[in-house]
Amino acid sequence: MRKWKIALGTAVALGAISVASVHFLDMANLSLNAGTAAATPAPAAFVMPVPVASVVKKTIPIYLDYAARIEAIRSVTLQARVPGYLEEQTAEDGADVRQGDLLYKISPDDFQAALDQAKAAVQRDQASLDYARSNLGRGSELAKSGYLAKDGFDQRTSTLRQAEASLAVNQAAVRTAELNLSYAEIHAPFAGRVGRNQASVGTLVSVAGTVLNTLVQLDPIYVTFNPSETDLAEIEQARAAGPIEVEVLLPGETKASQKGELTFIDNTVDHSTGTITARATIGNAKFSLLPGQYVRVRLHIRQQPDALMVPQVALGSSQLGKYVYVVGKGNTVDQRIVTLGANSGDLVAVLTGVAEGDQVITGNLQKIGPGMPISPLPQEKPAS
């Protein structure tokens, strides 16, 4: 029993010594870790790098934009001026023709026969007139010598006048027959493009009753649009200073393909829409504009000098309106609410909110906010 108590005491003493050793080791490790932490500095806070562009002054053109439609200056329905059988279509459907080109031909036989008959009548009347003129000349000499009564002389004079009148009538018939024969050929009254044929060869056409085709002029061509009455004063002011250039943009285009000049403004404002009809004349040598087509037009009304320009990619939107982020003091983000003006390529004019030389942030806009520290990247080239 005594030996067992001695063994138990010895085990307790050894356990206490082990616990004390572990405690001292843990304290030593804590002291070592604390010293290491004090010697290693804390990592620096991350600063977002951002591309920037300088606000610059620039003279820019000011435009007014409108939806517009193309209209032909001249458009006619081709119809026959004489009746007859359609003999030939010389211009294919959709062909581009010049003024005077032959388009259709009506059988000319009847009109040639009428012309020949009229010419024969003229020859007959000319012979009668020559005889009447000679007869009157002889009667004049006889009347002077008393061998011809006055009544006989008057009859010869009347015969001469009747022959002259008959000749004039048949000469007019010749001109009519010549016109009818010429009408058997239908020529283009102006340069343009024909449409789809509406009368087959062999059709018996009537005077102004059978539609053969349509012809529209394509160069130049009208572009019609409707400015609002609020824009009218500005347009008239620009028009007083000189011709207004008009640019035409086809659907999907960002750069004008054709240019022309404002040539017409109506004299009445439509009270139901508050707009007025205006029209520009556009050169269309390549026939890329067709009547009925919808396009956009831009009226160059003036130049705006010293406009403050920023890249459009720098713009953001909020409930307060459009804004830009500017590099503020200490390289922090400064938010500016701006009022925008006209666009010029990739730049937009800013009327209020920035000053010349401000550094506008153009990238990483979703990763920054007002007051955040930033690191402006060097500009590759100034905005222009």
Side-chain angles (χ1 to χ4, degrees):
M1 186 67 174
R2 180 185 177 112
K3 290 180 180 181
W4 181 82
K5 289 182 179 180
I6 292 173
L8 181 60
T10 302
V12 171
L14 291 174
I17 293 172
S18 299
V19 172
S21 300
V22 172
H23 176 72
F24 285 127
L25 288 175
D26 290 340
M27 291 299 293
N29 289 334
L30 289 175
S31 298
L32 181 60
N33 291 337
T36 303
T40 303
F46 175 73
V47 178
M48 176 65 67
V50 292
V52 296
S54 297
V55 177
V56 295
K57 284 186 178 180
K58 181 182 178 183
T59 299
I60 61 172
I62 301 300
Y63 295 97
L64 295 176
D65 291 0
Y66 302 101
R69 60 191 177 279
I70 307 298
E71 294 181 355
I73 294 179
R74 289 186 287 183
S75 176
V76 297
T77 300
L78 298 176
Q79 293 177 290
R81 299 181 67 174
V82 292
Y85 285 98
L86 190 62
E87 186 175 82
E88 185 180 2
Q89 177 191 354
T90 58
E92 296 181 356
D93 291 2
D96 296 322
V97 298
R98 295 172 296 180
Q99 183 176 0
D101 284 355
L102 180 63
L103 305 180
Y104 289 92
K105 189 175 181 180
I106 297 172
S107 177
D109 296 342
D110 293 343
F111 309 111
Q112 184 63 57
L115 177 60
D116 295 340
Q117 183 179 3
K119 287 181 176 179
V122 167
Q123 293 176 352
R124 179 196 62 197
D125 290 342
Q126 185 66 54
S128 298
L129 177 61
D130 292 341
Y131 174 77
R133 187 176 288 119
S134 299
N135 197 27
L136 180 62
R138 290 189 298 269
S140 178
E141 295 296 328
L142 293 173
K144 289 179 181 180
S145 62
Y147 289 101
L148 182 65
K150 186 178 185 304
D151 182 65
F153 179 77
D154 290 343
Q155 287 180 355
R156 295 188 182 191
T157 302
S158 175
T159 301
L160 175 64
R161 292 178 178 174
Q162 290 177 21
E164 291 176 339
S166 179
L167 178 62
V169 168
N170 284 303
Q171 286 176 336
V174 168
R175 291 194 294 271
T176 300
E178 289 175 340
L179 284 175
N180 288 336
L181 181 60
S182 68
Y183 293 156
E185 292 184 347
I186 300 173
H187 296 263
F190 51 83
R193 178 176 294 176
V194 295
R196 179 175 58 86
N197 179 49
Q198 300 182 47
S200 302
V201 172
T203 301
L204 178 61
V205 298
S206 59
V207 178
T210 305
V211 175
L212 303 179
N213 210 320
T214 57
L215 175 66
V216 295
Q217 178 179 333
L218 297 181
D219 182 29
I221 203 164
Y222 286 148
V223 180
T224 303
F225 54 98
N226 300 94
S228 66
E229 57 184 330
T230 56
D231 293 340
L232 182 59
E234 195 169 11
I235 294 174
E236 290 290 4
Q237 183 178 1
R239 197 181 184 192
I244 297 179
E245 183 183 71
V246 178
E247 298 180 352
V248 178
L249 289 86
L250 296 173
E253 285 187 342
T254 58
K255 186 177 181 180
S257 55
Q258 277 105 341
K259 295 182 180 180
E261 182 180 329
L262 180 66
T263 53
F264 170 76
I265 296 180
D266 207 351
N267 57 5
T268 305
V269 174
D270 187 341
H271 64 86
S272 62
T273 62
T275 61
I276 190 169
T277 300
R279 189 172 64 204
T281 303
I282 307 295
N284 189 32
K286 296 182 179 179
F287 298 162
S288 57
L289 302 177
L290 297 177
Q293 188 175 6
Y294 283 90
V295 295
R296 294 200 62 82
V297 295
R298 299 196 305 176
L299 276 64
H300 183 200
I301 58 172
R302 68 175 188 275
Q303 295 287 109
Q304 180 179 340
D306 298 331
L308 297 176
M309 308 299 294
V310 301
Q312 295 190 42
V313 295
L315 295 176
S317 298
S318 68
Q319 294 180 348
L320 299 177
K322 295 292 184 178
Y323 67 85
V324 295
Y325 286 141
V326 176
V327 179
K329 294 181 179 180
N331 284 346
T332 58
V333 177
D334 186 9
Q335 186 182 43
R336 306 274 184 87
I337 302 298
V338 294
T339 304
L340 302 181
N343 296 338
S344 178
D346 295 333
L347 304 179
V348 60
V350 177
L351 305 181
T352 60
V354 297
E356 185 180 10
D358 282 347
Q359 300 292 305
V360 176
I361 301 172
T362 60
N364 291 333
L365 302 181
Q366 291 77 19
K367 301 177 182 179
I368 59 176
M372 287 183 58
I374 52 174
S375 175
L377 299 174
Q379 298 185 52
E380 295 183 1
K381 63 178 181 177
S384 60

